[in-house]
C-alpha cells in the first residue's frame, strides 16, 4: 500500500509540486532498487556456498533468486 499526498495545504510543508502519480512511481522505483540490491547480495553469498557444496535446497534458492532478479531488473523485465 502506498500513502501519498494528493492535496494542497499551505500549512503542511511539501518539497516540490504535489503529484501523487509521480510519487507512487518514485516509491515503486525505490522499492525495486532496494529489493534488487538484497537479491544480488544473497546471490553472491549463495554462489560461495554452492562452491563449498551443492545441495538441492541451495540450488532451488538460487533458481528462485535468479528469477526474482530477472523480474526486478528493469533492463530484463518486460
Amino acid at each position: 500500500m502506498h500513502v501519498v499526498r494528493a492535496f494542497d495545504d499551505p500549512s503542511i510543508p511539501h518539497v516540490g509540486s504535489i503529484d501523487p502519480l509521480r510519487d507512487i512511481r518514485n516509491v515503486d522505483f525505490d522499492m525495486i532498487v532496494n529489493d534488487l540490491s538484497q537479491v544480488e547480495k544473497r546471490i553472491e553469498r549463495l554462489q560461495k556456498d554452492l562452491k563449498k557444496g551443492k545441495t538441492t535446497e541451495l540450488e532451488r534458492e538460487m533458481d528462485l533468486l535468479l528469477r526474482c532478479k530477472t523480474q526486478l531488473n528493469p533492463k530484463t523485465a518486460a
Side-chain angles (χ1 to χ4, degrees):
M1 173 172 55
H2 296 317
V3 178
V4 296
R5 183 175 178 162
F7 62 90
D8 188 20
D9 183 345
S11 67
I12 301 173
H14 187 272
V15 177
S17 62
I18 308 285
D19 186 347
L21 294 177
R22 179 202 58 217
D23 294 345
I24 290 169
R25 285 190 302 270
N26 288 343
V27 168
D28 285 343
F29 178 78
D30 290 344
M31 292 173 72
I32 289 169
V33 169
N34 186 46
D35 289 347
L36 183 58
S37 173
Q38 295 300 314
V39 166
E40 288 174 340
K41 287 178 189 176
R42 179 61 186 143
I43 287 173
E44 288 177 16
R45 290 191 308 270
L46 203 52
Q47 287 171 334
K48 292 176 185 176
D49 291 344
L50 284 166
K51 286 180 183 177
K52 295 176 188 172
K54 290 187 177 185
T55 67
T56 303
E57 185 177 318
L58 292 177
E59 290 174 338
R60 290 177 71 196
E61 183 179 358
M62 179 62 85
D63 180 56
L64 174 63
L65 290 170
L66 291 173
R67 286 185 284 145
C68 289
K69 182 178 177 180
T70 298
Q71 292 299 311
L72 291 168
N73 192 339
K75 295 177 184 175
T76 59

